[in-house]
Amino acid sequence: MGGLAQEAADAKINALSAELKLLRKGLGIQAKNLPAIAGERLREVCGVHDEDNAGTVRGKVVDTLRRLIEKLPGAQRETARIVLGFGTGANERYTQRLELLGSGADRNVRTMQRRADDVIYLIAEAAYSAPSPFGGVSAISQDGPWHTSDLAVNLTLTGGAAEVFETRTVVSHVAGLADVEHAISLARPASTTSPPDLSGLGIDVVAGGEVHSVRLVSSTRVAFTLRPPQPLDAGDQHAFFFRIRLAELPAPFYCCTPEFPCESFELNVRFDRRDPPQRVWRIDGDFSKDAEDPMPARKPLFLDNAGEVHTGFRDLRPARSYGVGWQPSP
């Protein structure tokens, strides 16, 4: 990052830190006047709109801070919760909560204050390194016209064929977002080097809009457009639920490789009980070219009694792959 860009990023973090230090005073997130004292930077990060009522503002601020705390290293999470008033007594003010940070003989006020300041800075830093759950303007979430807040996929395998049910909630970053581009990989028929035949591909929107412009963008990749019932304004969320039927999977793995950030991805794979895989593993943030490589050490996954595996991912980075791979039976 260049010098000016770094200075701008540091200025944002420092400004948000200052607002969080004001917020932690008194009763912290339990303060009755929380919506009124939430500063401009904090409201921006939390996706607060001018028309939001006090209850909505409180909910967005509390939920966003809770999520940001979960991104901290384990040693800092409990400190952050205490500093901001999560899980503490309803009437415990900041100075009382600060005493909880001391342990044994280590009750020096300056030490505890320094720990509190450090954790506030880490929260502010995290706020500008991940998408906001409410479509705020954090640094990553605004790279592109939209991002995915939630993605849930159920993949069912029968023989070589596959059926995908996908529910995707997108958050618009722009006014008038009319189209959301999507793409999937297809298998090239084993008997030919020709591109796959799209006539056998089934893409059906079950709810949330329509599919348009199905087209080949490479010899094994198909793109299509999801169109909501009406254009989305900046900050609007919209869910698509659609089904894709594939005559053949391109390889023994299923991944999400997002072009834009994705906050949450839940994947359930139901294998053919008549032909279960030899082993199954989790693919977590690999480069796309390495996703199908079975050699790297990865976390193993195990089929349940229904022949299924389930795994989830948070804060997916663009151009990285997340999902499940498996070794077919001989």
Side-chain angles (χ1 to χ4, degrees), residues 109-122:
V109 173
R110 288 187 178 180
T111 299
M112 292 184 287
Q113 184 66 59
R114 186 171 62 250
R115 290 173 60 190
D117 289 345
D118 288 346
V119 81
I120 286 293
Y121 184 87
L122 291 176

Side-chain angles (χ1 to χ4, degrees), residues 131-202:
S132 163
F134 297 103
V137 292
S138 64
I140 291 180
S141 69
Q142 293 301 295
D143 290 346
W146 54 271
H147 79 273
T148 299
S149 61
D150 295 287
L151 172 62
V153 171
N154 283 281
L155 169 64
T156 299
L157 303 172
T158 307
E163 190 168 32
V164 181
F165 290 91
E166 176 173 314
T167 302
R168 178 183 294 266
T169 302
V170 301
V171 180
S172 174
H173 300 168
V174 297
L177 180 69
D179 294 323
V180 175
E181 297 300 322
H182 200 55
I184 59 172
S185 295
L186 299 178
R188 188 197 305 275
S191 59
T192 179
T193 57
S194 301
D197 181 5
L198 295 186
S199 63
L201 173 65

Side-chain angles (χ1 to χ4, degrees), residues 49-247:
H49 304 299
D50 291 341
E51 65 271 19
D52 288 343
N53 60 37
T56 300
V57 174
R58 179 182 296 277
K60 287 184 175 183
V61 170
V62 170
D63 287 348
T64 300
L65 290 176
R66 183 180 289 114
R67 289 170 63 102
L68 292 174
I69 288 172
E70 289 303 312
K71 299 178 187 299
L72 301 184
Q76 277 79 42
R77 289 177 195 163
E78 186 59 27
T79 298
R81 293 188 186 102
I82 292 173
V83 167
L84 289 175
F86 284 95
T88 56
N91 295 313
E92 286 188 351
R93 306 188 67 81
Y94 174 61
T95 52
Q96 295 172 289
R97 299 197 306 275
L98 199 61
E99 294 177 358
L100 298 176
L101 299 181
S103 58
D106 183 19
R107 293 191 177 275
N108 181 277
V109 173
R110 288 187 178 180
T111 299
M112 292 184 287
Q113 184 66 59
R114 186 171 62 250
R115 290 173 60 190
D117 289 345
D118 288 346
V119 81
I120 286 293
Y121 184 87
L122 291 176
I123 293 172
E125 191 176 56
Y128 287 105
S129 65
S132 163
F134 297 103
V137 292
S138 64
I140 291 180
S141 69
Q142 293 301 295
D143 290 346
W146 54 271
H147 79 273
T148 299
S149 61
D150 295 287
L151 172 62
V153 171
N154 283 281
L155 169 64
T156 299
L157 303 172
T158 307
E163 190 168 32
V164 181
F165 290 91
E166 176 173 314
T167 302
R168 178 183 294 266
T169 302
V170 301
V171 180
S172 174
H173 300 168
V174 297
L177 180 69
D179 294 323
V180 175
E181 297 300 322
H182 200 55
I184 59 172
S185 295
L186 299 178
R188 188 197 305 275
S191 59
T192 179
T193 57
S194 301
D197 181 5
L198 295 186
S199 63
L201 173 65
I203 306 176
D204 304 304
V205 173
V206 179
E210 298 177 327
V211 169
H212 291 267
S213 306
V214 179
R215 61 204 182 274
L216 279 170
V217 292
S218 75
S219 60
T220 58
R221 194 156 178 81
V222 171
F224 55 94
T225 300
L226 292 169
R227 184 166 295 168
Q230 57 271 331
L232 307 178
D233 286 332
D236 284 353
Q237 298 190 36
H238 183 74
F240 295 98
F241 176 34
F242 57 95
R243 177 179 64 180
I244 302 173
R245 297 183 303 281
L246 303 174

